[in-house]
Amino acid sequence: MTYQDLERLDVSRLKGVGPKKAASLAELEIRNLFDLLTHYPRRYIDRTNQATIAELVEGKEASVLVTIKRTTSRRIKGGKVLINSTAFDDSGQIRITFFNQRWRERQLEAGRQAVIYGKVDMYRGQRQMTNPIVDLVGDKTGRIVPVYPQSEKAGLHSWDIAEWVAETLRRSLPPAGRGIVDPLPEYLLDRHDFIRRDAAIAGIHSPESMAEVGSSRRRLVFDELLRLQLALVLRKRAIERTAKGVAHAIDGPLVEQFVAGLPFDLTGAQQRSIDEINQDLARPIPMHRLLQGDVGAGKTLVAVAAMLAAVDGGHQAAMMAPTEVLAEQHYAGISKLLADLTVSDDSNLFAERPLKVELLTNRLGAADRKRILSELLLGTIDIAIGTHSLIQESVMFGSLGVVVIDEQHRFGVEQRAALKEQSYTEETPDVLVMTATPIPRTAAMTVYGDLDVSVLNELPPGRTPITTHWVQAPGMLDEAPTELEASAALEQMWDEVRSEISSGRQVYVVCPLIDESEKLQVASADAIFERLGSVELSDFNVGLLHGRVSAAEKDQTMDLFREGHLDVLVATTVIEVGVDVPNATVMIILDANRFGIAQLHQLRGRVGRGAHMSSCWLVGEATTESGEARLQALVDSTDGFALAEVDLDLRGEGTILGERQKGRNDLKLASLRRDKEAIQHAREAAIELVDADPMLAKNTELAQELELFLDEESAEFLLKG
Ligand code: ADP
Ligand code: MG
């Protein structure tokens, strides 16, 4: 039996699955026997290793295996329904209480066994749990009982599912069945010491021991990750095969002059990234590479080097920023960097002309826009900088060779295909995506597995490190701080801030993040601005920036701050990206506990850009354990990659995977967080397999299985060539 065979068998073939149960199963996305066998237990109950009721301690959370004695319900005040159950084990009795969940009456029928999990309290001298999590375990006799994600409202119990799984296993595994096909090549089984697939499937559903669960899980996790990596690697190779790229001249004079003209040496990481990019550029295959690096790691230079390689070979380059403001900043910075460079030009007497960088934004007048568009087509503009509109509108380049995309724009296969339409030539431009939000390496393999990745994990020398403090104090606008200690710490912070300003430095104050509405956010920024200007920082010039000020006012405030006329800038998160004021050395983030790690790290990156010592103050009280871990992580580290790992550990993978990963639903067991090593192994195996066998023609079982997880079009594209 293969997974495909199992997929063709409907659940209605199972004993006891009529139309009603089938509908309930469909609610759990279980329609066939493949779905059923990959509906894995949520956890396991080890019967020999359970607490007894007598051991439960008041005020503590615990789980206990009990038998239901009776369950009653009655109406109480306010029309609510109270459900009361009495349950017992060998050591005593416990009361279980629910409100307004009438279906519990059916669930907690007398005689049923259940594991209940919740906080223990005392009611009239008896132990009680209110609204516990209930897992019915049925009357299975094994030592280890699997608990399935269940849908009790739909009338499906964990033991129903266990029954059907057992039936399916009985019929498909020997001696009754022919066994489940293992598509992994023998050498991979050996290399990782994996058990066979049928053993793994049996072992995860009805294990004899928890060790067996472990080895089964390890095997099945790898299978999931391998499928995902195979799809990604096949996609990458397919694009490389089908799209024609520009083979750039990588050691042209422009790049050389540019690097030689820099007032500093490239960092090792910059050099390595440029080398990696150059290798891609030289090949006639379109590059699709992600450049990850912390704020200030020097991504711009690397991107400029790539764009110059295009210009060196007579092509053009484009850089896209997420906002007009950032596009303007890039334009100003890059024009300055490239001011002295010239390119060869046969049409003129000196056979050369200045390299031309242009800004294309929506603020351009019609005449300028028309001129720029025609120069882009003619090829007399070498580098165009703008927003997404650079590729979305009817902008046509004479010969677009390299496209740089700043800041984690979602840039998928479709956009890549569209780029080809952007250039008068036949070739697809090379694409470099820059992001300042590092994501952990193994997560990158999973999310960006069809991209190559370069990492700037080294800051240019001479940066003064940022010292980060965490002031455990309530928000400024809360009622009077209750803890004396907290307000003393805040006082100390303002003292240091005042002395920094007195010695000529500048300060950012970031206002609390208020999700509910922009109006509240603005109100709080206003209030903090008022308060600081009249109390803590009354001797200084304080400015205010938030989402409701007009663009003109915003520019004016930024200019005042940049030029040093304002000592303090109170702002909402609008300053998160792109603001660069080297004289600003203090970053204060109020209610810091409301921000995520990545955002705090980005905000902190606004200081530490000049020669002076910088500091960051996180003000806030952690209300949860993970909140505390988040803030402490910021205090402990300024390394974006290390912080990204912490973030992944704390938050799980949901936020990283986001919408990009359509294959997400296929990962039923694997976790980006727990299975880092397996991701690495699966990646390696996928590359080996595909490079040795590009269409998986010799690994037919794997290829067929992969088709289960791909839509028809992708399968056609990836596997049929
Ligand atoms: P990123 O885009 O990664 O945030 P930038 O490219 O804007 O970083 O660089 C930040 C600053 O560091 C710029 O002022 C740049 O001139 C400077 N810089 C970049 N590379 C180096 C280097 N190798 N040595 C010294 N300074 C550098
Ligand atoms: Mg930058």
Side-chain angles (χ1 to χ4, degrees):
M1 293 270 241
T2 63
Y3 275 175
Q4 292 94 305
D5 297 334
L6 288 163
E7 201 217 18
R8 281 190 285 267
L9 299 172
D10 200 86
V11 282
S12 58
R13 290 164 170 256
L14 292 164
K15 226 180 294 158
V17 179
K20 210 163 146 229
K21 295 275 184 197
S24 303
L25 281 166
E27 264 179 52
L28 297 177
E29 306 278 318
I30 302 174
R31 296 188 172 80
N32 54 58
L33 298 190
F34 168 73
D35 295 339
L36 181 68
L37 285 189
T38 53
H39 185 71
Y40 299 113
R42 173 155 57 107
R43 56 197 191 85
Y44 300 86
I45 292 156
D46 186 344
R47 280 184 203 262
T48 58
N49 189 20
Q50 288 289 317
T52 63
I53 292 174
E55 287 164 357
L56 298 180
V57 179
E58 185 182 357
K60 291 253 158 59
E61 292 197 335
S63 80
V64 62
L65 175 64
V66 298
T67 306
I68 306 295
K69 189 168 163 190
R70 71 171 163 272
T71 301
T72 58
S73 71
R74 66 190 161 89
R75 217 158 258 293
I76 53 169
K77 277 200 304 277
K80 284 188 183 165
V81 180
L82 175 72
I83 291 102
N84 261 320
S85 225
T86 308
F88 62 94
D89 67 6
D90 292 343
S91 73
Q93 281 206 5
I94 187 167
R95 213 171 103 107
I96 310 170
T97 306
F98 291 98
F99 292 96
N100 283 345
Q101 300 182 12
R102 303 232 32 178
W103 58 275
R104 295 281 185 189
E105 244 182 305
R106 267 179 293 123
Q107 182 195 33
L108 302 174
E109 225 170 65
R112 280 192 170 161
Q113 282 196 18
V115 170
I116 54 174
Y117 174 82
K119 190 165 148 204
V120 182
D121 52 47
M122 297 300 279
Y123 178 80
R124 295 185 182 165
Q126 196 185 40
R127 287 180 179 78
Q128 168 177 279
M129 284 189 195
T130 305
N131 292 327
I133 295 170
V134 176
D135 285 320
L136 293 176
V137 296
D139 51 2
K140 288 213 3 181
T141 46
R143 179 162 88 85
I144 297 187
V145 182
V147 179
Y148 289 93
Q150 45 200 308
S151 167
E152 262 154 26
K153 279 180 221 170
L156 278 186
H157 301 299
S158 182
W159 70 76
D160 291 328
I161 294 172
E163 246 335 286
W164 294 322
V165 167
E167 187 189 332
T168 308
L169 289 175
R170 259 196 317 273
R171 289 216 235 158
S172 41
L173 297 183
R178 281 175 293 137
I180 293 171
V181 165
D182 197 327
L184 270 202
E186 207 67 35
Y187 75 89
L188 282 175
L189 292 174
D190 284 348
R191 180 189 299 169
H192 299 295
D193 204 11
F194 284 138
I195 59 174
R196 298 210 158 261
R197 179 176 274 176
D198 49 10
I201 292 175
I204 203 148
H205 287 292
S206 52
E208 297 291 327
S209 68
M210 287 313 287
E212 191 180 351
V213 173
S215 57
S216 303
R217 184 180 182 282
R218 202 166 71 79
R219 167 64 211 265
L220 296 171
V221 159
F222 183 82
D223 288 2
E224 287 184 352
L225 292 169
L226 180 65
R227 283 193 293 265
L228 180 60
Q229 290 300 336
L230 278 173
L232 290 164
V233 173
L234 284 167
R235 171 160 294 135
K236 187 166 181 297
R237 295 283 189 264
I239 289 168
E240 292 173 353
R241 227 178 10 246
T242 52
K244 196 156 135 257
V246 184
H248 292 277
I250 53 168
D251 26 44
L254 282 174
V255 179
E256 216 165 285
Q257 279 172 44
F258 168 66
V259 173
L262 290 173
F264 43 70
D265 292 331
L266 295 175
T267 65
Q270 282 172 321
Q271 189 59 61
R272 188 171 23 99
S273 298
I274 290 177
D275 291 345
E276 287 166 359
I277 291 167
N278 279 344
Q279 282 192 15
D280 287 359
L281 291 178
R283 296 191 305 164
I285 296 168
M287 168 173 81
H288 197 192
R289 186 172 279 277
L290 180 71
L291 178 64
Q292 290 198 64
D294 246 323
V295 178
K299 293 183 292 297
T300 312
L301 293 190
V302 175
V304 167
M307 295 197 290
L308 287 178
V311 180
D312 256 328
H315 304 281
Q316 295 158 290
M319 178 186 259
M320 285 187 282
T323 65
E324 303 249 321
V325 176
L326 282 174
E328 283 163 20
Q329 277 190 24
H330 273 308
Y331 172 69
I334 290 173
S335 304
K336 215 157 62 183
L337 276 174
L338 302 180
D340 300 330
L341 296 182
T342 54
V343 295
S344 57
D345 180 1
D346 301 334
S347 72
N348 112 15
L349 191 58
F350 304 100
E352 58 181 32
R353 60 167 175 82
L355 183 134
K356 190 160 189 183
V357 184
E358 279 283 4
L359 177 67
L360 185 68
T361 74
N362 292 330
R363 297 188 192 167
L364 280 180
D368 279 334
R369 185 178 174 79
K370 203 168 153 213
R371 173 184 59 81
I372 290 178
L373 288 184
S374 88
E375 289 184 13
L376 282 175
L377 187 57
L378 282 172
T380 47
I381 292 174
D382 301 294
I383 295 178
I385 296 175
T387 58
H388 237 50
S389 61
L390 263 184
I391 61 155
Q392 278 160 357
E393 290 172 20
S394 54
V395 181
M396 182 67 101
F397 290 75
S399 173
L400 183 57
V402 167
V403 174
V404 174
I405 299 161
D406 188 15
E407 297 296 342
Q408 73 233 53
H409 265 300
R410 303 236 169 256
F411 196 77
V413 179
E414 306 81 37
Q415 284 98 326
R416 247 171 110 182
L419 271 183
K420 202 161 68 182
E421 309 304 317
Q422 224 54 54
S423 185
Y424 197 69
T425 54
E426 282 299 297
E427 288 101 354
T428 304
D430 291 293
V431 175
L432 181 69
V433 181
M434 306 197 279
T435 173
T437 313
I439 65 173
R441 210 169 60 89
T442 49
M445 278 179 202
T446 315
V447 186
Y448 297 111
D450 49 355
L451 274 70
D452 295 296
V453 180
S454 290
V455 176
L456 290 181
N457 53 359
E458 182 184 351
L459 289 183
R463 294 285 159 82
T464 48
I466 305 169
T467 319
T468 302
H469 311 270
W470 175 15
V471 181
Q472 304 207 28
M476 290 198 39
L477 301 173
D478 291 355
E479 292 108 76
T482 42
E483 284 180 47
L484 271 180
E485 217 183 315
S487 60
L490 264 185
E491 253 328 296
Q492 193 201 336
M493 176 181 89
W494 293 119
D495 275 344
E496 294 198 25
V497 169
R498 284 186 286 261
S499 98
E500 276 284 294
I501 303 176
S502 301
S503 54
R505 305 285 84 75
Q506 290 165 284
V507 177
Y508 296 106
V509 179
V510 176
C511 298
L513 186 68
I514 300 170
D515 302 327
E516 295 89 63
S517 78
E518 189 180 324
K519 206 163 140 199
L520 282 177
Q521 176 119 9
V522 169
S524 112
D526 274 335
I528 285 164
F529 170 68
E530 290 292 325
R531 157 82 184 254
L532 289 178
S534 57
V535 185
E536 281 86 358
L537 303 173
S538 56
D539 296 339
F540 306 104
N541 298 321
V542 183
L544 174 65
L545 210 60
H546 57 57
R548 287 275 170 97
V549 302
S550 68
E553 212 179 318
K554 192 170 148 190
D555 287 348
Q556 193 187 5
T557 306
M558 270 322 300
D559 286 343
L560 286 173
F561 188 67
R562 213 174 277 127
E563 288 155 19
H565 303 303
L566 290 173
D567 303 306
V568 181
L569 188 63
V570 174
T572 51
T573 49
V574 290
I575 62 161
E576 193 179 348
V577 274
V579 177
D580 192 358
V581 181
N583 191 49
T585 57
V586 180
M587 168 64 65
I588 295 175
I589 305 173
L590 299 173
D591 281 14
N593 48 304
R594 286 170 176 265
F595 295 91
I597 286 188
Q599 206 173 13
L600 291 170
H601 180 62
Q602 288 286 318
L603 287 167
R604 179 170 61 181
R606 297 299 113 206
V607 297
R609 311 191 132 225
H612 300 284
M613 275 293 277
S614 291
S615 59
C616 172
W617 300 78
L618 306 173
V619 180
E621 284 175 322
T623 47
T624 59
E625 209 174 299
S626 84
E628 177 168 350
R630 271 204 315 269
L631 294 174
Q632 193 56 47
L634 266 290
V635 173
D636 292 342
S637 175
T638 50
D639 175 347
F641 286 93
L643 290 171
E645 292 283 351
V646 176
D647 206 16
L648 178 61
D649 284 343
L650 290 176
R651 284 197 308 173
E653 56 239 50
T655 47
I656 288 185
L657 283 168
E659 77 233 39
R660 186 182 155 95
Q661 199 50 70
K662 293 205 189 95
R664 170 67 190 122
N665 292 338
D666 307 337
L667 297 187
K668 292 182 175 173
L669 272 184
S671 137
L672 294 192
R673 185 163 35 147
R674 277 182 297 170
D675 301 314
K676 289 179 187 153
E677 203 187 20
I679 293 172
Q680 175 75 46
H681 289 160
R683 177 83 179 162
E684 287 161 9
I687 291 173
E688 270 171 34
L689 282 163
V690 173
D691 285 350
D693 181 14
M695 302 283 179
L696 298 183
K698 292 183 215 116
N699 289 277
T700 42
E701 283 161 352
L702 261 183
Q704 278 167 18
E705 184 167 316
L706 202 55
E707 283 183 44
L708 264 188
F709 296 87
L710 296 171
D711 57 60
E712 232 167 274
E713 206 177 325
S714 307
E716 186 77 17
F717 177 54
L718 300 180
L719 298 166
K720 313 271 150 59

